[in-house]
Amino acid sequence: MANERFSNALSGIAQKVPPIWMMRQAGRYHKHYQALKEKYSFMELCKEPELAAEVAMGPIDDFDFDVAILFSDLLFPLEALGMGLEYSPGPQLGWTLTPETINQLLPVDEAIGDMEFQRLAVQATRGLLPQRKSLIGFVGGPWTLFAYAVEGSHKGGLKEAKAMWSLFPAFTNIIEPFLQKNIALQLEAGAEVVMVFDTAAGELSPQMYRDLVAPTVKKIAKSFPGKIGYYSQNTQLAHLFPFFNEPSELAGMGFDHRWELPTLFELVPGGFVQGNFDQTLMFTDEADFARKLEFYLQPFQELSPEERKGWVCGLGHGVLPATPEANVRTFVDTVRETFA
């Protein structure tokens, strides 16, 4: 019960046509999601396993992506740890993390039970997926969750989170074992890979990132060899050097559109390389979009299947709200036609 192209990418097997999936491929841009959102709240869509599976299936049925993604939100671990969470419409925590409030976080063994809905959602999604499709789960990266816990949002330069940098190790001592259990339950339920999304990572200097964030990510990956994918937004080579410089337990890595992906296949030590068409270019008109996509794909066409093995094709970041569905469909069809 797995997609052959995605399995080949994980195993480093050369192939002509890459698998395709996009972050946030099930979301606000899609009429299937919009119809469900008229009937249910975002929290209901995430926490009712049958609804989460139905949302995840929408883009599989409509666009024929190779991989489905657990429909959920990366902030639920903070809610489970006792910080509260509402969506009105954006996320709002009940309180923020400080040196005075960190002791209010619940014990990991007590809190992890609140993530059982994700296990059921993964199982429900796998039950609906055709056998030829793959399924991945996800969690937020430790630094990204810390930034949200301190700031209450992801906006700006995260000056408050950086000012409380000395609190991060204590938070890591809690969130790391929590994420380990969270990842385990997703894998046990049927996810083939769990992505760690570190969307706030690029706000750190490379030195700060390498000092505490990279070791934590590597420790998580070591606990699940070949089962953890890692995506960090706005990072550069100086940030990710620890992952390139030595063998990694990661299943693969995702990159945003600021990276020149064809140059990375030799740098990433095994596993998949995911990305990375600029998601904002999805808004261009039909004819111009076709030209931009052709321009993007040209360097990949110059590589042999062996040279670009591991490629998982997608966007640099998630599908943005109001993205034209026609361009999503064109993206999938064009990639497959180009490399067939």
Side-chain angles (χ1 to χ4, degrees):
M1 299 176 66
N3 179 266
E4 183 179 3
R5 292 169 181 159
F6 188 61
S7 295
N8 286 342
L10 291 174
S11 301
I13 298 173
Q15 59 188 345
K16 293 173 63 177
V17 181
I20 305 170
W21 67 264
M22 299 177 179
M23 286 180 276
R24 296 179 185 160
Q25 64 188 28
R28 287 175 286 176
Y29 77 99
H30 194 205
K31 62 180 180 293
H32 175 79
Y33 174 83
Q34 294 166 3
L36 289 169
K37 192 64 171 63
E38 289 180 0
K39 301 177 183 179
Y40 306 100
S41 68
F42 177 73
M43 193 78 83
E44 288 174 316
L45 292 177
C46 291
K47 290 199 170 185
E48 295 291 334
E50 293 76 15
L51 291 176
E54 188 175 348
V55 176
M57 283 300 300
I60 300 297
D61 292 335
D62 202 353
F63 307 113
D64 195 33
F65 288 111
D66 293 285
V67 182
I69 309 169
L70 166 68
F71 185 76
S72 196
D73 190 81
L74 60 79
L75 294 182
F76 286 127
L78 298 182
E79 180 192 36
L81 287 166
M83 296 193 70
L85 181 64
E86 295 182 355
Y87 294 89
S88 56
Q92 294 184 354
L93 297 171
W95 46 273
T96 55
L97 192 71
T98 67
E100 291 72 37
T101 62
I102 191 170
N103 289 331
Q104 296 179 26
L105 294 174
L106 297 175
V108 170
D109 288 341
E110 178 181 338
I112 194 62
D114 280 356
M115 303 303 294
E116 187 65 18
F117 70 93
Q118 285 192 346
R119 181 197 304 274
L120 298 176
V122 170
Q123 291 174 341
T125 306
R126 183 67 267 178
L128 293 179
L129 273 176
Q131 291 193 3
R132 62 185 179 85
K133 301 295 184 181
S134 283
L135 175 61
I136 64 173
F138 75 92
V139 296
W143 164 253
T144 294
L145 291 172
F146 178 77
Y148 265 112
V150 172
E151 304 255 346
S153 75
H154 241 200
K155 298 177 182 178
L158 304 182
K159 62 180 183 297
E160 293 178 26
K162 293 175 187 177
M164 278 195 260
W165 178 251
S166 60
L167 189 62
F168 183 62
F171 177 77
T172 300
N173 288 339
I174 299 169
I175 200 64
E176 182 191 316
F178 185 95
L179 293 179
Q180 298 251 12
K181 292 179 181 292
N182 196 174
I183 290 166
L185 70 83
Q186 291 185 25
L187 291 172
E188 291 164 3
E192 294 159 49
V193 169
V194 173
M195 292 295 297
V196 175
F197 289 137
D198 226 351
T199 51
E203 290 296 335
L204 291 171
S205 70
Q207 182 184 21
M208 294 175 74
Y209 176 89
R210 294 194 307 264
D211 187 38
L212 287 182
V213 177
T216 303
V217 173
K218 294 178 79 170
K219 187 175 180 182
I220 291 173
K222 190 173 183 179
S223 298
F224 305 95
K227 294 294 184 179
I228 302 297
Y230 182 62
Y231 167 80
S232 55
Q233 188 179 15
N234 294 340
T235 49
Q236 55 183 280
L237 181 61
H239 290 87
L240 301 183
F241 188 75
F243 298 103
F244 297 155
N245 194 38
E246 57 189 61
S248 172
E249 301 284 0
L250 289 171
M253 299 181 70
F255 299 89
D256 66 26
H257 65 276
R258 296 164 182 84
W259 292 80
E260 191 166 12
L261 207 65
T263 66
L264 288 173
F265 293 112
E266 293 184 0
L267 280 178
V268 178
F272 66 81
V273 178
Q274 186 266 331
N276 71 344
F277 186 74
D278 185 344
Q279 62 278 356
T280 63
L281 297 181
M282 300 289 288
F283 288 87
T284 52
D285 65 74
E286 185 176 348
D288 193 31
F289 176 70
R291 287 191 294 269
K292 286 181 168 61
L293 184 56
E294 180 183 5
F295 178 76
Y296 168 77
L297 294 176
Q298 184 177 351
F300 295 92
Q301 292 177 266
E302 296 171 359
L303 300 176
S304 68
E306 179 68 27
E307 289 172 321
R308 53 178 168 81
K309 65 183 180 183
W311 183 28
V312 177
C313 185
L315 304 182
H317 196 57
V319 186
L320 297 173
T323 294
E325 290 185 27
N327 283 350
V328 176
R329 187 169 290 105
T330 297
F331 184 99
V332 175
D333 292 343
T334 299
V335 170
R336 288 180 178 154
E337 291 167 3
T338 298
F339 295 98

